[in-house]
Amino acid sequence: MAGNSFGKIFKITTFGESHGEGVGVVIDGCPPGISLSREDFARDMARRRPGRHPGSTPRKEKDRVEIMSGVFEGRTTGAPIALFIRNRDVDSRPYDILRQVFRPGHGDFTYYKKYGHFDFRGGGRYSARETAARVAAGVAAGKILKPLGVKVVAYTLELGSVRAEDINLELIDGSPLYCPDPMASERMEEVISKTGKEGDTLGGIVEVRVTGCPPGLGEPVFDKLDAELAKAVMSVGAVKAVEIGAGLEAARLRGSENNDPITPDGFGSNRAGGILGGISNGDEIVLRAGVKPIPSIGREQDTVDREGHPAKLKLGGRHDVAAIPRIIPVLEAMVKIVLADHFLRARGA
Amino acid sequence: MAGNSFGKIFKITTFGESHGEGVGVVIDGCPPGISLSREDFARDMARRRPGRHPGSTPRKEKDRVEIMSGVFEGRTTGAPIALFIRNRDVDSRPYDILRQVFRPGHGDFTYYKKYGHFDFRGGGRYSARETAARVAAGVAAGKILKPLGVKVVAYTLELGSVRAEDINLELIDGSPLYCPDPMASERMEEVISKTGKEGDTLGGIVEVRVTGCPPGLGEPVFDKLDAELAKAVMSVGAVKAVEIGAGLEAARLRGSENNDPITPDGFGSNRAGGILGGISNGDEIVLRAGVKPIPSIGREQDTVDREGHPAKLKLGGRHDVAAIPRIIPVLEAMVKIVLADHFLRARGA
Amino acid sequence: MAGNSFGKIFKITTFGESHGEGVGVVIDGCPPGISLSREDFARDMARRRPGRHPGSTPRKEKDRVEIMSGVFEGRTTGAPIALFIRNRDVDSRPYDILRQVFRPGHGDFTYYKKYGHFDFRGGGRYSARETAARVAAGVAAGKILKPLGVKVVAYTLELGSVRAEDINLELIDGSPLYCPDPMASERMEEVISKTGKEGDTLGGIVEVRVTGCPPGLGEPVFDKLDAELAKAVMSVGAVKAVEIGAGLEAARLRGSENNDPITPDGFGSNRAGGILGGISNGDEIVLRAGVKPIPSIGREQDTVDREGHPAKLKLGGRHDVAAIPRIIPVLEAMVKIVLADHFLRARGA
Amino acid sequence: MAGNSFGKIFKITTFGESHGEGVGVVIDGCPPGISLSREDFARDMARRRPGRHPGSTPRKEKDRVEIMSGVFEGRTTGAPIALFIRNRDVDSRPYDILRQVFRPGHGDFTYYKKYGHFDFRGGGRYSARETAARVAAGVAAGKILKPLGVKVVAYTLELGSVRAEDINLELIDGSPLYCPDPMASERMEEVISKTGKEGDTLGGIVEVRVTGCPPGLGEPVFDKLDAELAKAVMSVGAVKAVEIGAGLEAARLRGSENNDPITPDGFGSNRAGGILGGISNGDEIVLRAGVKPIPSIGREQDTVDREGHPAKLKLGGRHDVAAIPRIIPVLEAMVKIVLADHFLRARGA
């Protein structure tokens, strides 16, 4: 039983492959009357697009979102919204050498075990290309959240072991790496440049903050807001860890240190990360995603071929040095989708 | 839209409150022909039960699981399996003082905002009592996994900042804290004892390992195995962080360090934690849950009452010092439920 | 993948067997704050109960509904509501002769093919006993509908080829067969009596009418209100046909005859049965269910045993002559469950 | 909460409008390795296409199905299959007079009540155009059923009160109305011709037969095979009645007449229509759909405008005289989708 849908009321189903016609998403459950046009997608698609950031690939996709259904005279109708992003710059040649061997750290091996084949043209369904559809869906989700005053912002907290220390959210867009600490941002760029020259790649940590979220979102006991956010974020390919609020650090605190006091003016601290008992408490929602280094490296690696014989692999082709910062609008999108879904869930019952 | 169900094919729905009749679960989708009897539940229910571990509450629940349906002549029939665990030692008196004020770190505040009421008798639906139903469901899930050779083991990796260093899985059951390092286990007991006397509580980290999992479990792109595990684990009340394999550490590695080489004999390392592209790769699945300290502490805390006026709260009553080790069978159960569900999902299509 | 759940927001999951502990239902998604007590179930459970109607079995079940969870101080909390109806008068002896042979017209044969066993004690999961849980869930659904002014009434339109002609809904409760035409009711009783003496059974037609339903319920294009009602009604064991509004008769009308004119005061006729384009139009919803004769007859029938050898079967035991009128509260319940679910679905988005 | 998805494992989500870009469907859950090409869709799309049958509209859609994803080198990959059928002959002018008034018998009124707007360009989402996506999905479902030997055939049993009496399934394709009785087919054509000239429309009855269906499909107690078929068929716009096997006639039979005897060679009769206890019994599945006359007629009708003022409406434009026979491949498709889904459901657990 496949798993290409996400959400219960604001429900998305993505489709498409990296080297096919394109990628797309059907959103079923977007309320009627919301303004939505092609232009709305431009900013987020651009932030996810390759070729704009330090260390990103030169692949040039225009990534224009076509609205195939569900919008009439500039507004959503309540019918399913189908969005499609055509693949334009598809060049399968560099991947032909990959017909036979599994790339370490990628889904080649497991897709082959599961489906009896794998997409040697660059990952197909498990390529990062799939996340373009998520970003498009996130734009629609954001349209539901905006009139509520809910704002979702993600940024680079750490990259290549360089950590943002002096965080100023207003400086995010000024950094090519969407890092809120300009000094850290510069050092991150240096590390990226150096690592790329060495044919290697880097991981990092993205932090997501949600302001303006009303209390009451999240559905006990399994669809708790933190549980749904964890799934949403972990479903993005490169993510290997999710923390809410104090996260792992909470494991080392005492109850008297970790509990957030409640005052007439709100919570006295926010180690809970804005969620108590799986339900938003009205405070800022804070989560972090640990992002692994991109597995496509320019160094020789040990692997096996389809028959299980040992092989050596050295990748050429176009690859990023880090999934950050391109993963940032993807994580924002997933968080927005969860919040829009839970807002609609809470409204109904 | 409520969220008390989990799983797609092996689907569980829990019900019940800490101070009502009891807690229970309906499992829809357990295949027919599996032996299941009351005795099967004894070990896991006992491990979850209060009053057995250092620093745990003296509350004496027998926690006997009644099979209400779905089993005939000792075997599952394919019909829904209803399991019920009656509350026996219910004493609502200590909680009467809680009618008016919200306990910091608990769901009181958010349930009140969401539902217009909260269960002052000890959490009701958001009490840890609810997890008894999860453990019961996990036993049935385990029955599906056992003939496949899949084994799920969880243990205390860290508690009160004491970390198990010398891990020997065979020593887990010998430790009252299910810690695989006897020396660490002793020190953890000391910290628990000392912290309890100070009216405070502790958090920690639980590690879960799955051996014998076949490759191919997990459904792209949203129901990836790691995404589903993250949700399952994060849906357990006290969990604030989830890591798969190298987890957050992967964010600080380079691609050349983090990629697991593939050899004819399997993977040369396991930083992926047994999952690639969201699909199990046949290697050991490894995940960690960061568990916050129990919020019910014996120290005075700042809070507010229902009207928002400031209040002081000092809890008496029966409370554990740490959710660990009682949370261990709960996390095992959630992992088993995910795996059983995904085994059935993979079998069907 | 099992199918014991129904509804999307007001979601029910039934469990239990005819000769086990009892039957029950978990309702996930009932809004908080609704008054619900044991007494609320009495009327509908009594109407479904055997032994009260002409031609019904003498089996004496008290059918008292126990509220196991989800209600606190007389009101729903928003948590799952578990309801349980204990089996009291279980006598498996009459069924022992059925261990080997399949009863014609029952699910014995198909359950055996599907699950590798069948419940020779009286149907188990496919016994009409299961519908007690549906009736209980319908009571909760009715509590959601009542303040909206929605009223669901079902009655015997036809039984044993006797048809109610002069329909007066106020006379329904005065008829032991819930037939709104007293003269027809009497003739139906005669036919039942005569047929029962001959060891045979009867079918009939139940009509359901919903008044006060607001326009706008039903979700295109698959969860149309008529489609959901058709599934709900057809999922009741004995039903073999479902009609909405003019039903089959519409197939013989011309468009100019079948279209309901729209006037400033509402629709000029109601051949649509209150549903247009799958969405309620504010007019009365009218549907009919064709109910087959009960397959348990006191006459010798041809069948086979588990090994496929020919066998003769003559049933004794306690059996009704017709599923009508006991099926009436069951059909009302299913319609109420659909409407409550769709009311909540429409409210959310 | 919207309802544009159908099926649990073979899950389809349709999108698109009659006068937008086109209509499409995403199929999530089609197993990998199935051959699928553009040509596979030709026959069924042609049978559904307007302009080929007596009394059908001259609208010329090419209805070529584009495979947007999920197929690689001619075979399904296990990834979601997106299919798109572009609207080619879109002429919104005839509909401009419909901006203000609701067409009787259509969804205009109810869509306006539900969504605050309606699609005056020809129905939009509630146009029969949407069924093109269902037919496309049905082709993929058929590919799963074919190797199992399952065959689904639908035909015109009755049209304009002319009923096929002498049924020979081999003659279906020879009739422009897909009627298996050539004499009846001719009379139906005459009635269509005459009725069309009078500006009126006709209804009828379609019968669907499934041969080769293995026993064991269908999931108690709500997702019974007959319940799912009823929903599938009733979700097609014009359908107002669904019968399984003997259908309404069963309501007038006695148990001794209606029960199908079981013999070592199979069932002695098939009044059950191939389904017992909601599970296929291995016999032929037989169902009938009552289809209402098309509501778009060329005669003046009473209606109201958006403000509720009385209005007269006389439709011009391009309209069929009957939904039959174009609805036939749609009903076949829905039955195939249910069977494919239930085959996969049964296989998994």
Side-chain angles (χ1 to χ4, degrees):
Chain A
M1 184 193 185
N4 295 286
S5 295
F6 187 81
K8 293 281 173 72
I9 294 193
F10 186 87
K11 190 171 60 169
I12 69 171
T13 304
T14 68
F15 60 91
E17 292 87 19
S18 57
H19 286 74
E21 294 294 310
V23 296
V25 62
V26 179
I27 305 167
D28 197 22
C30 189
I34 294 173
S35 78
L36 191 68
S37 70
R38 187 179 277 218
E39 292 69 41
D40 289 323
F41 300 94
R43 178 176 177 266
D44 283 349
M45 296 309 289
R47 289 196 296 151
R48 200 212 69 90
R49 198 155 60 210
R52 281 176 37 118
H53 310 290
S56 76
T57 81
R59 183 170 173 177
K60 291 276 183 327
E61 302 164 281
K62 297 272 298 234
D63 282 356
R64 216 166 45 191
V65 176
E66 297 171 48
I67 301 174
M68 313 280 277
S69 71
V71 174
F72 182 42
E73 299 185 336
R75 296 200 172 265
T76 60
T77 64
I81 300 167
L83 305 172
F84 193 62
I85 306 135
R86 207 164 283 279
N87 293 333
R88 294 189 190 274
D89 179 24
V90 174
D91 177 3
S92 318
R93 277 173 308 165
Y95 300 105
D96 270 354
I97 53 163
L98 299 173
R99 273 184 192 267
Q100 294 309 320
V101 301
F102 305 120
R103 292 170 299 163
H106 278 286
D108 297 347
F109 178 83
T110 51
Y111 269 69
Y112 186 65
K113 290 288 179 185
K114 185 177 187 71
Y115 299 109
H117 65 84
F118 66 101
D119 197 323
F120 47 81
R121 299 168 304 166
R125 188 69 184 142
Y126 51 100
S127 158
R129 178 75 184 144
E130 180 265 336
T131 61
R134 301 185 184 211
V135 170
V139 168
K143 287 276 187 159
I144 294 171
L145 299 174
K146 201 179 175 184
L148 307 170
V150 180
K151 210 175 156 187
V152 178
V153 176
Y155 50 83
T156 305
L157 181 67
E158 191 176 314
L159 202 160
S161 299
V162 179
R163 192 173 180 105
E165 301 292 347
D166 191 10
I167 292 179
N168 182 340
L169 299 190
E170 298 191 356
L171 302 180
I172 292 173
D173 282 345
S175 155
L177 294 168
Y178 303 120
C179 174
D181 174 346
M183 302 254 301
S185 182
E186 270 185 48
R187 275 185 293 137
M188 289 171 186
E189 287 194 65
E190 290 163 20
V191 177
I192 284 177
S193 170
K194 178 169 169 293
T195 308
K197 283 175 194 151
E198 296 168 11
D200 218 336
T201 57
L202 294 168
I205 299 173
V206 173
E207 190 161 78
V208 189
R209 288 169 182 262
V210 183
T211 53
C213 183
L217 303 196
E219 300 295 336
V221 294
F222 295 112
D223 297 350
K224 288 170 172 163
L225 192 57
D226 38 3
E228 296 262 280
L229 288 169
K231 177 176 175 178
V233 164
M234 193 69 94
S235 77
V236 177
V239 176
K240 299 299 284 184
V242 183
E243 296 185 296
I244 306 287
L248 267 184
E249 196 49 39
R252 283 134 192 172
L253 296 176
R254 290 181 159 215
S256 58
E257 298 165 321
N258 188 61
N259 283 354
D260 299 312
I262 319 180
T263 80
D265 302 323
F267 292 89
S269 57
N270 188 17
R271 276 175 288 265
I275 301 172
L276 278 173
I279 301 169
S280 64
N281 66 13
D283 210 334
E284 191 178 42
I285 295 173
V286 182
L287 68 85
R288 282 175 301 286
V291 179
K292 74 173 185 180
I294 284 179
S296 293
I297 59 175
R299 298 179 168 202
E300 190 177 83
Q301 299 180 81
D302 287 318
T303 184
V304 298
D305 64 18
R306 291 174 184 233
E307 281 74 40
H309 301 128
K312 298 285 183 187
L313 175 69
K314 189 175 169 182
L315 286 167
R318 305 166 301 181
H319 301 288
D320 291 347
V321 173
I324 298 174
R326 288 180 58 201
I327 205 173
I328 283 176
V330 179
L331 294 174
E332 283 179 3
M334 291 310 297
V335 169
K336 282 190 244 176
I337 290 163
V338 169
L339 292 173
D341 188 37
H342 276 273
F343 168 70
L344 295 174
R345 289 178 73 165
R347 190 169 76 173
Chain B
M1 184 193 185
N4 294 287
S5 295
F6 187 82
K8 293 281 174 72
I9 293 194
F10 186 87
K11 189 172 60 169
I12 69 171
T13 305
T14 68
F15 60 92
E17 292 89 18
S18 58
H19 287 71
E21 295 293 310
V23 295
V25 60
V26 178
I27 304 167
D28 198 21
C30 188
I34 293 173
S35 78
L36 192 68
S37 70
R38 188 178 275 218
E39 291 70 40
D40 290 323
F41 299 94
R43 177 175 178 267
D44 283 348
M45 296 309 289
R47 288 195 297 152
R48 200 211 70 90
R49 199 156 61 210
R52 279 178 37 118
H53 311 291
S56 75
T57 81
R59 182 170 174 176
K60 293 277 182 330
E61 303 163 281
K62 296 273 299 234
D63 283 357
R64 215 164 47 190
V65 176
E66 297 171 47
I67 301 174
M68 313 280 278
S69 71
V71 175
F72 181 43
E73 299 186 335
R75 295 199 171 267
T76 60
T77 63
I81 301 168
L83 304 173
F84 193 62
I85 305 135
R86 208 163 281 279
N87 293 333
R88 295 190 188 272
D89 179 25
V90 173
D91 176 5
S92 317
R93 277 173 307 165
Y95 300 105
D96 269 355
I97 53 164
L98 299 173
R99 272 182 193 269
Q100 294 309 321
V101 301
F102 304 121
R103 291 170 299 163
H106 278 285
D108 297 348
F109 178 83
T110 51
Y111 268 69
Y112 186 65
K113 290 287 179 184
K114 185 176 187 73
Y115 299 109
H117 65 85
F118 66 99
D119 197 323
F120 47 80
R121 299 168 303 165
R125 188 68 185 142
Y126 50 100
S127 158
R129 178 76 184 144
E130 181 265 335
T131 61
R134 301 186 184 210
V135 171
V139 168
K143 288 275 188 159
I144 294 171
L145 298 174
K146 201 179 175 185
L148 307 170
V150 180
K151 210 173 157 187
V152 178
V153 176
Y155 50 83
T156 305
L157 181 67
E158 192 177 312
L159 202 160
S161 299
V162 180
R163 192 174 182 103
E165 301 292 349
D166 191 10
I167 292 179
N168 182 341
L169 300 190
E170 297 191 357
L171 301 181
I172 293 173
D173 282 346
S175 156
L177 294 167
Y178 304 120
C179 174
D181 175 345
M183 304 254 301
S185 181
E186 272 184 48
R187 274 184 294 138
M188 289 170 185
E189 285 194 66
E190 290 164 20
V191 179
I192 285 177
S193 169
K194 179 169 169 294
T195 308
K197 283 176 193 148
E198 295 167 14
D200 219 336
T201 57
L202 294 167
I205 298 173
V206 173
E207 190 161 78
V208 189
R209 287 169 183 261
V210 183
T211 53
C213 183
L217 303 196
E219 300 294 335
V221 294
F222 296 111
D223 296 350
K224 286 170 172 162
L225 192 58
D226 38 4
E228 295 262 280
L229 287 169
K231 177 176 176 179
V233 163
M234 194 69 95
S235 78
V236 177
V239 176
K240 298 300 282 184
V242 183
E243 296 185 297
I244 306 288
L248 268 183
E249 196 49 39
R252 283 135 192 169
L253 297 176
R254 291 183 159 212
S256 59
E257 298 165 320
N258 188 60
N259 283 355
D260 300 311
I262 318 181
T263 81
D265 303 321
F267 291 88
S269 58
N270 189 17
R271 277 176 287 267
I275 301 172
L276 278 173
I279 301 171
S280 64
N281 66 13
D283 210 335
E284 192 178 40
I285 295 172
V286 182
L287 68 84
R288 282 175 301 285
V291 180
K292 74 173 185 179
I294 285 179
S296 293
I297 59 176
R299 298 177 169 203
E300 191 176 82
Q301 300 180 81
D302 285 320
T303 185
V304 299
D305 64 17
R306 290 172 185 237
E307 282 73 40
H309 302 128
K312 297 284 185 189
L313 174 69
K314 188 175 170 183
L315 286 168
R318 303 167 301 180
H319 300 290
D320 292 346
V321 173
I324 297 174
R326 287 181 57 203
I327 205 173
I328 283 176
V330 179
L331 295 174
E332 284 179 0
M334 291 310 296
V335 170
K336 282 190 245 176
I337 289 163
V338 169
L339 293 173
D341 188 36
H342 276 274
F343 168 70
L344 295 174
R345 289 178 73 165
R347 191 170 75 172
Chain C
M1 185 192 183
N4 294 286
S5 294
F6 187 80
K8 291 283 175 69
I9 293 193
F10 186 87
K11 190 172 60 168
I12 68 171
T13 304
T14 68
F15 60 92
E17 292 88 19
S18 58
H19 286 73
E21 295 293 310
V23 295
V25 61
V26 177
I27 305 167
D28 197 23
C30 189
I34 294 174
S35 78
L36 192 68
S37 71
R38 189 178 273 219
E39 291 69 42
D40 290 324
F41 300 94
R43 177 176 179 267
D44 283 349
M45 295 308 290
R47 288 195 297 151
R48 199 211 70 91
R49 199 157 57 210
R52 282 175 37 116
H53 311 290
S56 75
T57 79
R59 182 170 173 175
K60 292 276 183 329
E61 303 163 280
K62 299 270 302 226
D63 282 356
R64 214 165 48 190
V65 176
E66 298 171 48
I67 301 175
M68 312 280 277
S69 71
V71 175
F72 181 43
E73 299 185 337
R75 296 201 172 264
T76 61
T77 63
I81 301 168
L83 305 172
F84 193 63
I85 306 134
R86 207 163 282 279
N87 292 334
R88 294 187 191 276
D89 180 25
V90 174
D91 176 4
S92 319
R93 278 172 308 164
Y95 299 106
D96 271 353
I97 54 163
L98 298 173
R99 271 181 192 267
Q100 294 309 320
V101 302
F102 304 120
R103 293 170 298 163
H106 280 286
D108 297 347
F109 178 83
T110 51
Y111 269 69
Y112 186 66
K113 291 286 180 186
K114 186 178 186 69
Y115 298 109
H117 65 85
F118 66 101
D119 197 324
F120 47 80
R121 299 167 303 166
R125 189 69 185 142
Y126 50 100
S127 157
R129 178 74 183 145
E130 181 266 335
T131 61
R134 301 186 185 211
V135 171
V139 169
K143 287 275 186 157
I144 294 171
L145 299 174
K146 202 179 176 186
L148 306 170
V150 180
K151 209 174 156 186
V152 178
V153 176
Y155 50 83
T156 304
L157 181 67
E158 192 176 313
L159 201 161
S161 299
V162 179
R163 193 174 181 103
E165 301 292 349
D166 192 9
I167 292 180
N168 182 340
L169 300 190
E170 297 190 358
L171 302 180
I172 292 173
D173 283 345
S175 156
L177 295 167
Y178 304 119
C179 174
D181 174 344
M183 302 254 299
S185 182
E186 271 184 47
R187 275 185 294 135
M188 290 171 185
E189 285 194 65
E190 290 164 19
V191 178
I192 284 178
S193 169
K194 179 167 168 298
T195 308
K197 283 176 193 148
E198 295 167 13
D200 219 337
T201 57
L202 294 168
I205 299 172
V206 173
E207 190 161 79
V208 189
R209 287 168 183 264
V210 183
T211 53
C213 183
L217 303 197
E219 300 295 335
V221 293
F222 295 111
D223 296 350
K224 287 171 171 163
L225 192 57
D226 38 5
E228 295 261 280
L229 288 168
K231 178 177 176 177
V233 163
M234 193 69 94
S235 77
V236 177
V239 175
K240 299 299 282 184
V242 183
E243 296 185 297
I244 307 287
L248 267 183
E249 196 49 40
R252 283 133 192 172
L253 297 176
R254 289 180 161 215
S256 59
E257 298 165 320
N258 187 61
N259 283 355
D260 301 311
I262 318 180
T263 81
D265 303 321
F267 292 88
S269 57
N270 188 16
R271 278 176 286 267
I275 300 171
L276 278 172
I279 301 170
S280 64
N281 65 13
D283 210 334
E284 190 177 45
I285 295 172
V286 182
L287 67 86
R288 282 175 302 285
V291 179
K292 73 173 185 179
I294 284 179
S296 294
I297 59 175
R299 298 178 168 202
E300 191 176 84
Q301 298 180 82
D302 287 319
T303 185
V304 298
D305 64 18
R306 289 174 184 232
E307 282 74 39
H309 301 128
K312 297 284 182 189
L313 175 69
K314 189 174 171 184
L315 287 167
R318 305 166 301 181
H319 300 289
D320 291 348
V321 173
I324 297 174
R326 286 181 58 201
I327 205 173
I328 284 176
V330 179
L331 295 174
E332 284 179 1
M334 291 311 296
V335 169
K336 282 190 245 177
I337 289 164
V338 169
L339 293 172
D341 188 37
H342 276 274
F343 168 70
L344 295 174
R345 289 178 72 166
R347 190 170 75 172
Chain D
M1 185 192 182
N4 294 287
S5 295
F6 187 81
K8 293 281 174 71
I9 293 194
F10 187 88
K11 189 172 61 170
I12 69 171
T13 305
T14 68
F15 60 91
E17 292 88 19
S18 58
H19 287 72
E21 295 293 311
V23 296
V25 61
V26 178
I27 304 167
D28 197 21
C30 189
I34 294 173
S35 78
L36 191 67
S37 70
R38 188 178 274 219
E39 291 71 41
D40 290 322
F41 300 93
R43 177 175 178 268
D44 283 349
M45 296 309 289
R47 289 196 295 152
R48 199 211 70 90
R49 198 157 60 211
R52 281 176 38 117
H53 311 290
S56 75
T57 80
R59 181 170 174 178
K60 291 279 183 330
E61 302 164 280
K62 298 270 301 228
D63 283 355
R64 215 166 47 190
V65 176
E66 297 171 47
I67 301 174
M68 312 281 276
S69 70
V71 175
F72 181 44
E73 299 185 336
R75 297 201 169 264
T76 60
T77 63
I81 301 168
L83 305 173
F84 193 64
I85 305 135
R86 208 163 281 280
N87 293 333
R88 293 187 190 275
D89 179 25
V90 174
D91 176 4
S92 319
R93 277 173 307 166
Y95 300 106
D96 271 355
I97 54 164
L98 299 173
R99 272 181 193 269
Q100 294 309 321
V101 302
F102 303 120
R103 293 169 299 162
H106 278 285
D108 297 347
F109 178 83
T110 51
Y111 268 69
Y112 186 65
K113 290 288 179 185
K114 185 177 186 72
Y115 300 109
H117 65 85
F118 66 100
D119 197 323
F120 47 80
R121 299 167 304 165
R125 189 68 185 142
Y126 51 100
S127 157
R129 178 76 184 142
E130 180 265 336
T131 61
R134 301 186 185 211
V135 171
V139 168
K143 287 275 187 158
I144 295 172
L145 298 174
K146 201 178 175 186
L148 307 170
V150 181
K151 210 174 157 187
V152 177
V153 176
Y155 50 83
T156 305
L157 181 67
E158 192 177 312
L159 200 161
S161 299
V162 179
R163 193 174 180 102
E165 301 292 349
D166 192 11
I167 292 178
N168 181 341
L169 300 190
E170 297 191 356
L171 302 180
I172 293 173
D173 282 345
S175 155
L177 295 167
Y178 304 120
C179 174
D181 175 344
M183 303 254 302
S185 182
E186 271 185 47
R187 275 185 293 136
M188 290 172 185
E189 285 194 64
E190 289 163 20
V191 179
I192 285 177
S193 169
K194 180 170 168 296
T195 308
K197 283 176 192 147
E198 295 167 14
D200 218 335
T201 57
L202 294 168
I205 299 173
V206 173
E207 190 161 78
V208 188
R209 289 170 182 261
V210 182
T211 53
C213 183
L217 303 197
E219 300 294 335
V221 294
F222 295 111
D223 295 351
K224 287 170 172 163
L225 192 57
D226 38 5
E228 295 262 280
L229 288 168
K231 177 176 176 177
V233 164
M234 193 69 94
S235 77
V236 177
V239 176
K240 299 299 283 184
V242 183
E243 296 185 297
I244 307 287
L248 267 183
E249 196 49 40
R252 282 134 194 171
L253 297 177
R254 289 180 160 217
S256 59
E257 297 165 321
N258 188 60
N259 283 354
D260 300 312
I262 318 180
T263 80
D265 302 322
F267 291 89
S269 57
N270 188 17
R271 278 176 286 267
I275 301 171
L276 278 172
I279 301 170
S280 64
N281 66 12
D283 211 335
E284 192 178 41
I285 295 173
V286 182
L287 67 85
R288 282 175 302 285
V291 179
K292 74 174 186 179
I294 285 179
S296 292
I297 60 175
R299 298 175 167 206
E300 191 177 83
Q301 300 179 81
D302 286 319
T303 186
V304 299
D305 64 17
R306 289 172 186 236
E307 282 74 40
H309 302 129
K312 297 283 184 190
L313 175 69
K314 188 175 171 184
L315 286 167
R318 306 165 299 181
H319 300 288
D320 292 346
V321 173
I324 297 173
R326 286 181 58 203
I327 204 174
I328 283 176
V330 180
L331 295 174
E332 284 179 1
M334 291 310 296
V335 169
K336 282 190 244 177
I337 289 163
V338 169
L339 292 173
D341 188 36
H342 277 273
F343 167 70
L344 295 174
R345 288 177 73 165
R347 191 170 73 172

